[in-house]
Amino acid sequence: MALLKVKFNQKKRVKLAQGLWLMNWFSVFAGILVFSMGLFLKIELRKRSEVMDNSESHFVPNSLILMGILSCAFNGFAGKICYDSLDPTKFAKWKPFLKPYLALCFFFNILIFFVALICFLMRGSLENTLAQGLKNGMKFYRDTDTPGRCFMKKTIDMLQIEFKCCGNNGFKDWFEIQWISNRYLDFSSKEVKDRIKSNVDGRYLVDGVPFSCCNPSSPRPCIQYQVTNNSAHYSYDYQTEELNLWSRGCREALLHYYSSMMSSMGAVVLLVWLFEMSVMVGLRLLQTSLESIANPEDPECESEGWILENSLKDSFKSALESLKKIGKFNQVEADAQGAEGEEGGKTPAITTVS
């Protein structure tokens, strides 16, 4: 028994073809939207590539760009088929291409669904990328004279100001690295010498943070040096007073920004996938309804359309049998080639009579 069998007359077939033509062009615009989203996400990731450890995060925007291009191509082609389906004589030239095209559409829709899932599941990979990238970026914050790293200070400062964050996980991350360049340290000063000597690695560590960590909304002037020293500031308690520094780490801020963006894009791609699936089902019904016309010379006669010619179980079994036949055919060919090789390798014995 055929799956989702529907009876069509000429009027229904024409309406289906017209509706599918319109839906395909909507799908082309949806493909342009997916392409634009991928391009926008790629630009946003490239803006902060200096604080990202690897390029794995670009898999999502690259996939969205590819899916957008393929969607425009597939749906533009399907729109042409649906338009020609209004005339049975024009439809005849598309008959040989429809089954392979529908098979491609099926795999294409699987890819779209996979990309939609990836948009929701990339949070873990993105978190690791940001954590390591920000850690390295903070280490290079002081290298304003080193080629290739001279803009890292500006990048980190602009990042902390824009996203209202401080450090990797929090402002205390700055206490563990030397973020002040040696060129701005007075090595004749006893304080500087003592701090460098007290550190095993010979680094100048302070309980301070860059200016970009300061919260401009705070009524109190920014306390960015001696943050943990209560006696260094008037009416100040490090443990109880709310600091005038950004409390959120930049990893969390960036992760929330990109995750929410990818989740929104994943929801849009999922809607596009549902729309593409409905277009594919409609095209299959149109194809079978036109091919099952009993008398091609009488286009007004009734016909039947279906998704699968047999039930889902029978179709699955026939597909498995077809795959087994292909496998056996390839095995027979390989055995035949091996036998020919063995025969070719034998040389006839030659006897000589003296």
Side-chain angles (χ1 to χ4, degrees), residues 310-323:
N310 302 311
S311 65
L312 191 62
K313 185 178 179 181
D314 293 337
S315 299
F316 184 70
K317 282 182 180 179
S318 62
L320 283 178
E321 287 174 4
S322 299
L323 289 173

Side-chain angles (χ1 to χ4, degrees), residues 11-23:
K11 189 177 179 180
K12 283 186 177 180
R13 286 193 296 267
V14 169
K15 281 186 177 180
L16 178 61
Q18 289 174 339
L20 284 172
W21 177 83
L22 190 62
M23 288 175 71

